[in-house]
Amino acid sequence: MTSTDHDHNQHEDLVGGPFAVIESDPGVFTSLTRKIGVRDIELVEMYDIEPWATDHLSPHGLIFCFLWRKDVHRPADFNDPAAERVWFANQLSDDACASHAILNVLLNCPEINVGDDLRKFRTDTEKMSPVMKGLAIANSPLLRKAHNSLARPADIRGALNAIALATLDEAKAKAKVKASPATSSTKRGTKPPPAKRAKTNATGTRSSPSKSQLKAKTKPTTQDEEEAYHFIGYVPAYGKVWELDGLKSGPLEVGELPSPAESSSSSSSSSARNAWMDVVRPALRMKMEKYGGAAEGGDNIRFSLLAIVDGAYEKASDALQLLRREKGALERRMGEGWESKVDQELFVASHHAFSAASGSKTYAVNFGSQFMDASLRIQNMPEVELIPAWETCVRDAVRANINVEDELSKAIRANTDHIKRTFDYEPFLKMFVERLQAEGLLNPLMGREEDGLKIKSPPRTAKTKG
């Protein structure tokens, strides 16, 4: 790369660029989190908000997508002093609401490994205002490139075209203002002309709009309104549950989290994460009823709900690794000749029960303590229980191995979909049409003559009797 190319690329990073539309799909958003450095999580779609559908997920946060309509809140709703500790960024870029919602949630979850880049980004922007944080997101090459790498090439070209058109319209508007006589004759200290002026008719006189025209301007029809979907986040942080909407001025409190004494006696992180779902559930029902379709039994479903959860592959892989180490500890405890004492079918199956295990890599922070507890349990186990425990371990390993293989297959399908989605088919289609034209096959396929004119159908002849 030459120095000129390097300067040009650096200039492009400084100028920035648009955020293209990306598909609202859990796999796409999971890929986005991994491209920006977040590890050991994924986004999954939720089909219900009742405990039976959420407790097994133990979500870190939620992403709610809905058909956007203006929502009015009082300024006092955003005056909570606790909100100052919440990391929150306003959305300043079009079509970036999904990335903003995900970042607003992730950067308020200290238990999630967001990676070095996002950790530094959070530290650098922690004292900024929400508007400046949104500006930092819009001008971050890492976030913009990761976002646009998941978009279709046609959507990227559309985003660039939209910026070009907006720039040209703004330039035309400025030129029109400069060229207008009223602007040129305006002297210093005089009141500038109003921004909106009445339209003139063919004779040059001003025409006052009719009541029907005013009504059409103030209340556009449903057909004229453009549907726009918006993403917001929900996350528990600093003792409360927050709604994080990049189009609002700040975090909006949903409710307070129960104190440790009021919550379940279990101290596990999953139980603590499930407790906040009881707080956010009523707010989600209200949103679902307000923005299309009821929370229960609605037939106009115009929203979706995604949960940020622990990665399924990482959990399945850790479970398989733990079973493999337990198997080894049981075999060492049983001593020589244990092969003839166990079930022979399971003995054969044990040779393939760990085929999906990749080396000895583990993901959970507390994996070492889990294995230590299992080792102590095996050391204190009576000899009569060793063989049944080994057989149970192999059976569990077979199921765990299947789970890992399923997750690997899901990742392969997601990567295949990503390649299909982001591949640029336009050059092939353009060349294909050009070759058809060069070979003289395009016009016949379109039902036209060689000169491109439409083939005239033969005139109908009237039938005569007899």
Side-chain angles (χ1 to χ4, degrees), residues 140-270:
S140 170
L142 169 69
L143 301 176
R144 186 174 62 252
K145 289 178 181 177
H147 179 101
N148 290 339
S149 67
L150 300 169
R152 297 182 304 169
D155 292 329
I156 295 177
R157 287 190 288 268
L160 293 171
N161 185 56
I163 282 187
L165 292 177
T167 304
L168 290 175
D169 292 342
E170 183 68 19
K172 290 178 181 179
K174 289 182 178 180
K176 186 176 181 180
V177 171
K178 290 181 179 180
S180 61
T183 305
S184 59
S185 61
T186 302
K187 295 182 179 181
R188 192 177 212 176
T190 60
K191 187 176 179 180
K196 294 182 180 179
R197 304 182 64 186
K199 293 183 179 180
T200 57
N201 55 21
T203 60
T205 59
R206 293 184 182 181
S207 59
S208 59
S210 63
K211 292 183 178 180
S212 60
Q213 290 175 333
L214 288 173
K215 187 176 181 180
K217 287 183 179 180
T218 56
K219 294 183 179 180
T221 60
T222 306
Q223 295 177 353
D224 296 333
E225 293 179 352
E226 183 180 357
E227 292 186 350
Y229 284 86
H230 184 53
F231 292 83
I232 62 176
Y234 291 92
V235 66
Y238 306 106
K240 297 182 179 181
V241 179
W242 303 93
E243 176 189 304
L244 306 178
D245 186 346
L247 298 181
K248 295 180 181 177
S249 60
L252 184 64
E253 179 187 345
V254 175
E256 293 188 2
L257 291 171
S259 61
E262 297 174 355
S263 60
S264 174
S265 59
S266 174
S267 59
S268 64
S269 60
S270 61

Side-chain angles (χ1 to χ4, degrees), residues 133-439:
K133 289 175 183 176
L135 188 63
I137 293 176
N139 290 284
S140 170
L142 169 69
L143 301 176
R144 186 174 62 252
K145 289 178 181 177
H147 179 101
N148 290 339
S149 67
L150 300 169
R152 297 182 304 169
D155 292 329
I156 295 177
R157 287 190 288 268
L160 293 171
N161 185 56
I163 282 187
L165 292 177
T167 304
L168 290 175
D169 292 342
E170 183 68 19
K172 290 178 181 179
K174 289 182 178 180
K176 186 176 181 180
V177 171
K178 290 181 179 180
S180 61
T183 305
S184 59
S185 61
T186 302
K187 295 182 179 181
R188 192 177 212 176
T190 60
K191 187 176 179 180
K196 294 182 180 179
R197 304 182 64 186
K199 293 183 179 180
T200 57
N201 55 21
T203 60
T205 59
R206 293 184 182 181
S207 59
S208 59
S210 63
K211 292 183 178 180
S212 60
Q213 290 175 333
L214 288 173
K215 187 176 181 180
K217 287 183 179 180
T218 56
K219 294 183 179 180
T221 60
T222 306
Q223 295 177 353
D224 296 333
E225 293 179 352
E226 183 180 357
E227 292 186 350
Y229 284 86
H230 184 53
F231 292 83
I232 62 176
Y234 291 92
V235 66
Y238 306 106
K240 297 182 179 181
V241 179
W242 303 93
E243 176 189 304
L244 306 178
D245 186 346
L247 298 181
K248 295 180 181 177
S249 60
L252 184 64
E253 179 187 345
V254 175
E256 293 188 2
L257 291 171
S259 61
E262 297 174 355
S263 60
S264 174
S265 59
S266 174
S267 59
S268 64
S269 60
S270 61
S271 299
R273 290 206 299 266
N274 287 331
W276 79 276
M277 288 298 301
D278 297 332
V279 180
V280 76
R281 196 170 284 116
L284 288 174
R285 287 197 184 98
M286 292 177 60
K287 285 281 185 182
M288 292 176 180
E289 292 174 356
K290 183 176 182 179
Y291 295 103
E296 295 179 1
D299 55 354
N300 183 23
I301 305 300
R302 310 201 76 174
F303 54 82
S304 65
L305 185 64
L306 303 176
I308 300 177
V309 300
D310 294 329
Y313 170 77
E314 289 81 4
K315 290 194 295 185
S317 179
D318 280 353
L320 187 60
Q321 290 287 353
L322 183 61
L323 288 170
R324 184 169 70 171
R325 301 185 187 192
E326 288 183 9
K327 173 179 171 290
L330 287 168
E331 291 172 356
R332 290 190 296 269
R333 178 75 195 283
M334 288 188 293
E336 296 182 0
W338 63 268
E339 296 89 344
S340 60
K341 299 176 183 179
V342 298
D343 187 291
Q344 293 304 303
E345 292 184 359
L346 290 176
F347 177 72
V348 174
S350 66
H351 294 86
H352 310 284
F354 302 93
S355 59
S358 57
S360 58
K361 184 177 181 179
T362 59
Y363 299 93
V365 178
N366 61 340
F367 182 86
S369 62
Q370 294 181 26
F371 177 61
M372 185 176 295
D373 293 340
S375 299
L376 291 175
R377 176 171 49 82
I378 293 173
Q379 289 297 327
N380 298 327
M381 187 178 296
E383 292 187 4
V384 69
E385 298 180 4
L386 293 176
I387 293 178
W390 184 92
E391 294 174 350
T392 301
C393 179
V394 172
R395 292 190 187 94
D396 293 341
V398 172
R399 289 190 289 268
N401 195 70
I402 294 174
N403 292 336
V404 174
E405 291 176 346
D406 288 344
E407 291 301 321
L408 291 173
S409 299
K410 185 174 72 173
I412 293 174
R413 290 194 300 270
N415 185 60
T416 303
D417 293 340
H418 168 70
I419 294 173
K420 292 179 179 179
R421 183 186 308 109
T422 58
F423 184 80
D424 193 357
Y425 295 93
E426 184 173 323
F428 163 74
L429 296 175
K430 181 180 179 181
M431 180 61 69
F432 182 69
V433 174
E434 289 178 353
R435 294 311 305 167
L436 287 176
Q437 175 66 19
E439 298 293 335

Side-chain angles (χ1 to χ4, degrees), residues 91-108:
Q91 178 187 338
L92 304 181
S93 300
D94 293 337
D95 300 321
C97 51
S99 297
H100 274 75
I102 292 174
L103 284 173
N104 278 337
V105 172
L106 291 178
L107 296 184
N108 287 291

